[in-house]
Amino acid sequence: MDRFQKIYSQGVVNIIEIWVDRETGINYVWRKDGYSGGLTPLLDENGKPVVTKI
């Protein structure tokens, strides 16, 4: 089983995806724009990581 699961995706050239770490439940946002991109934890309104119950 893969550790990360994609739960949301939008866009074709400018892509935004949300991935969940299946071990910790932490959600990550991945953004790709052309040849560049980045990954960061998804934070709630209090600045804490969004966690999905596994």
Side-chain angles (χ1 to χ4, degrees), residues 6-37:
K6 180 170 47 172
I7 61 168
Y8 177 81
S9 181
Q10 87 176 33
V12 177
V13 175
N14 301 319
I15 301 170
I16 297 174
E17 296 179 347
I18 298 177
W19 291 79
V20 175
D21 182 333
R22 291 182 181 188
E23 290 185 16
T24 65
I26 296 176
N27 289 241
Y28 294 89
V29 175
W30 180 69
R31 166 115 166 114
K32 180 178 181 247
D33 190 353
Y35 291 107
S36 64

